[in-house]
Amino acid sequence: MMTGRGIGTPEIAGGPARHIPVLVRPVVEHLRIRDGGLYIDGTFGAGGYARAILAAADCKVLALDRDQSAVAQAAGLVEEMGGRLTVAESRFSALDEVAAGFGITAAAGVVLDLGVSSMQLDQAERGFSFRLDGPLDMRMEAHGPSAAEVVAAASERTLADIIFLLGEERHSRAVARAIVKAREAAAIRTTGQLAAIVSRVVRTRPGDIHPATRSFQALRLFVNDELGELARGLMAAERILEPGGRLVVVSFHSLEDRMVKTFLASRAGSRMGSRHLPQAAPPPASFSILTKRPVGADAAEIAANPRARSAKLRAAERTAAPADAADRPSLPRLPALADVLRRG
Ligand SMILES: C[S@@+](CC[C@H](N)C(=O)[O-])C[C@H]1O[C@@H](n2cnc3c(N)ncnc32)[C@H](O)[C@@H]1O
């Protein structure tokens, strides 16, 4: 049953959230929330989606976030929901394993709201923003190598590849060259330093995005292995969704949206066999697509929340066919983070 209670309420227990949930109404509608269902919110953030799901029916939510500060902030909402909400610190690539730890083997819905929250972006000390000066960190988790370590260790070629493949920055080679030249003179430790270095080589016109936008996106995706997480998260969702269960993904840039689109198209039956192998029957479709074209925010939402401008929602319904463990989404060809730190 869907009652629509509370949809769009950008608040969490204990006061207004600084992160305004994007596309929350279409998220709830596409999940088709029902009484008794168990829903997995893989990206809890400020809890906007979890709250809206719990308000829509008498259901339960298991929410995950890899950022321990998001999980810590959830305590009030967990208490308010009286046993209907569980929040765990974890990556969504492991969502089925985490769910199994709570005795959950099937879900009626999985939602992923990709990228960073406003809380992460707006705290200078997290080092995500080129607009605020802070340490060049960019980690969603409190461990692992920071963006400053990558910028210090990566070879010029690797930096250029990261910035081109994960930022789609046309001037990636010039940016990489400028970074290497600058770090020979002094270590690049802050977001302000990096933004200034990039801005000297990427020219923009008035009204364009900030010149460092693409380079910062690339480093953030690399440091947090965000595309690898998405690829594994989609497969984990395929494993845990029950027949009729819904997958909803909200993405904010073309690399993510392309991966979601390609994954769903392939799972929905438009898979091609290999040209080099004898023709076998394609595996049965494990999803049927609900959104032929991605759903975006309307003018009112964009006016109220400019972050919604680039949001794209795609949704699909799980069939009864088995999950396909062999067909993995393809990822940009880049060295692993650990190898970059060791070998540049
Ligand atoms: C855009 S925000 C989600 C906002 C949330 N839907 C809300 O309404 O408040 C993204 C959140 O997902 C988390 N996140 C990003 N990638 C993740 C991953 N692979 N596993 C778990 N959490 C992740 C981030 O730490 C961040 O808190």
Side-chain angles (χ1 to χ4, degrees):
M1 185 189 74
M2 196 166 116
T3 64
R5 280 174 283 141
I7 294 176
T9 311
E11 291 175 347
I12 56 171
R18 281 178 298 135
H19 181 92
I20 305 170
V22 171
L23 293 175
V24 68
R25 183 181 290 276
V27 163
V28 167
E29 285 168 359
H30 282 89
L31 282 172
R32 202 180 47 186
I33 297 161
R34 60 170 171 78
D35 286 351
L38 181 284
Y39 297 86
I40 299 180
D41 174 357
T43 50
F44 178 77
Y49 284 9
R51 179 182 275 278
I53 294 167
L54 289 163
D58 185 10
C59 60
K60 289 189 173 174
V61 171
L62 169 63
L64 314 180
D65 203 295
R66 66 192 287 186
D67 185 336
Q68 63 183 30
S69 64
V71 177
Q73 295 283 320
L77 187 58
V78 169
E79 196 179 321
E80 186 188 328
M81 290 300 158
R84 295 173 63 211
L85 172 65
T86 303
V87 183
E89 183 183 335
S90 172
R91 297 182 178 192
F92 58 60
S93 53
L95 62 85
D96 54 338
E97 290 163 35
V98 178
F102 290 100
I104 298 162
T105 52
V110 171
V111 61
L112 303 177
D113 181 14
L114 303 174
V116 282
S117 68
S118 306
M119 290 88 67
Q120 292 165 328
L121 211 51
D122 294 347
Q123 282 178 300
E125 64 272 24
R126 300 296 301 264
F128 286 109
S129 174
F130 43 74
R131 297 186 195 284
L132 305 170
D133 195 18
L136 187 57
D137 191 316
M138 298 196 188
R139 289 171 299 175
M140 292 186 190
E141 293 160 351
H143 51 84
S146 67
E149 288 174 75
V150 173
V151 163
S155 67
E156 183 176 327
R157 181 170 175 190
T158 299
L159 280 170
D161 287 350
I162 292 171
I163 293 165
F164 181 67
L165 292 171
L166 299 181
E168 300 184 307
E169 171 59 71
R170 282 191 300 130
H171 306 290
S172 57
R173 302 216 171 280
V175 172
R177 210 176 308 127
I179 289 174
V180 168
K181 190 154 176 251
R183 79 185 180 196
E184 282 163 9
I188 303 168
R189 294 208 179 91
T190 68
T191 51
Q193 278 175 288
L194 182 63
I197 293 162
V198 178
S199 301
R200 282 199 287 273
V201 288
V202 177
R203 297 265 162 242
T204 51
R205 284 184 293 240
D208 283 354
I209 56 171
H210 188 288
T213 307
R214 294 193 179 89
S215 300
F216 269 61
Q217 171 188 301
L219 276 171
R220 195 198 88 208
L221 291 187
F222 187 70
V223 164
N224 295 290
D225 186 21
E226 288 180 50
L227 291 182
E229 271 296 300
L230 178 56
R232 294 185 293 274
L234 292 170
M235 295 183 77
E238 183 187 32
R239 289 193 294 272
I240 201 162
L241 280 168
E242 62 200 23
R246 298 273 179 100
L247 171 63
V248 178
V249 186
V250 177
S251 60
F252 290 87
H253 56 76
S254 55
L255 294 170
E256 291 168 344
D257 182 56
R258 214 174 296 145
M259 183 183 287
V260 178
K261 179 182 170 183
T262 310
F263 174 82
L264 292 180
S266 116
R267 288 331 201 238
S270 42
R271 268 181 271 196
M272 307 294 284
S274 165
R275 282 185 295 134
H276 310 291
L277 293 173
Q279 283 301 309
S286 57
F287 278 104
S288 61
I289 294 173
L290 301 168
T291 46
K292 265 211 180 88
R293 282 212 294 265
V295 176
D298 59 21
E301 181 169 3
I302 293 170
N305 182 12
R307 190 172 176 276
R309 184 175 296 121
S310 50
K312 285 185 175 165
L313 178 155
R314 292 189 188 268
E317 184 169 309
R318 188 74 171 84
T319 69
D324 186 347
D327 184 14
R328 296 166 177 277
S330 55
L331 293 167
R333 285 177 155 278
L334 282 170
L337 182 53
D339 292 337
V340 170
L341 296 179
R342 256 199 316 270
R343 293 199 287 269

